[in-house]
Amino acid sequence: MDQQQTTFRRIVTGHDVDHKSIIVSDAPPAFTQLIGGPGGPTFFEMWHTMETPALIHPQPDDLDETKLVLAPPKNGTRIRVIEFPPEGNEIKSLTGITAAEKFKTMGAENAFNSSEEGAPHSLMHRTKTVDYGIVLEGEIIMILDREETTIKAGDIVIQNGTNHAWANRSGKICRMAFVLIDGQFTF
């Protein structure tokens, strides 16, 4: 199984004192976190905004989050890349309590909901967000309450606050970019 991480860059632009465009930083993502230990996904936090419309600062910098937070800020956005390793026994054998703990570490204990009898996956969850998920590399199964589908490199998912989970059954790393937009349910 190919589980080697490849490095990518996060390039942030801004403005100098004359309001001319410049590169403020060009480096790997500043904050990464492996969730759940070996066999779990690695989150690469890229950027987030605190409001909409987003405030554009001349010299943007990383905001003050010091831990992984699943959802975007209230009225804000978040972009991240997640590398999903092939799903192994670590994920398949999760209990409801253990899975709930993993969501709690991301401040998302309210998103977790796979403790129901007959849930299609142990990591089913739902957030009050509209998410754009783009498969950059590999393939992954998107699991919903009533169906599932394989999405591959180049495919884009628009997730509208739906209950879901991700399962990598391919034997190779799947890398996805996600843009999360704070939302509000109408039902």
Side-chain angles (χ1 to χ4, degrees):
M1 287 189 239
D2 177 17
Q3 294 186 13
Q4 181 178 355
Q5 286 182 354
T6 56
T7 303
F8 55 95
R9 298 161 47 203
R10 182 189 73 164
I11 302 159
V12 179
T13 65
H15 299 87
D16 64 16
V17 295
D18 297 319
H19 304 286
K20 298 295 183 186
S21 56
I22 61 170
I23 294 173
V24 174
S25 70
D26 182 347
F31 182 65
T32 64
Q33 185 171 338
L34 175 64
I35 298 295
T42 300
F43 284 62
F44 298 85
E45 295 301 279
M46 302 302 290
W47 198 257
H48 66 272
T49 62
M50 298 300 288
E51 62 279 311
T52 301
L55 298 179
I56 300 170
H57 301 284
Q59 294 283 316
D61 59 2
D62 287 320
L63 300 174
D64 59 358
E65 290 183 342
T66 58
K67 64 179 185 171
L68 180 66
V69 179
L70 185 63
K74 183 72 176 156
N75 298 318
T77 65
R78 181 177 309 284
I79 182 169
R80 67 169 43 109
V81 173
I82 302 177
E83 286 188 347
F84 295 93
E87 190 171 284
N89 289 331
E90 302 89 357
I91 301 298
K92 293 175 185 173
S93 64
L94 283 176
T95 65
I97 293 170
T98 308
E101 291 284 323
K102 294 186 184 317
F103 281 95
K104 189 174 183 178
T105 67
M106 296 183 279
E109 53 271 12
N110 294 333
F112 171 72
N113 59 13
S114 71
S115 58
E116 298 175 14
E117 184 68 31
H121 193 276
S122 61
L123 293 174
M124 294 294 286
H125 63 286
R126 175 176 149 165
T127 56
K128 289 193 309 183
T129 58
V130 174
D131 303 339
Y132 305 145
I134 304 129
V135 180
L136 302 173
E137 180 181 322
E139 67 179 53
I140 198 160
I141 310 291
M142 179 180 64
I143 302 169
L144 302 174
D145 289 327
R146 300 197 190 276
E147 58 190 313
E148 63 181 52
T149 190
T150 301
I151 55 176
K152 298 179 180 188
D155 292 346
I156 300 170
V157 173
I158 293 88
Q159 187 93 284
N160 287 294
T162 53
N163 194 33
H164 69 284
W166 303 102
N168 182 348
R169 301 175 186 151
S170 73
K172 296 181 179 180
I173 288 282
C174 175
R175 179 183 282 177
M176 290 185 72
F178 290 93
V179 176
L180 295 83
I181 304 164
D182 185 41
Q184 183 66 45
F185 291 114
T186 61
F187 55 94

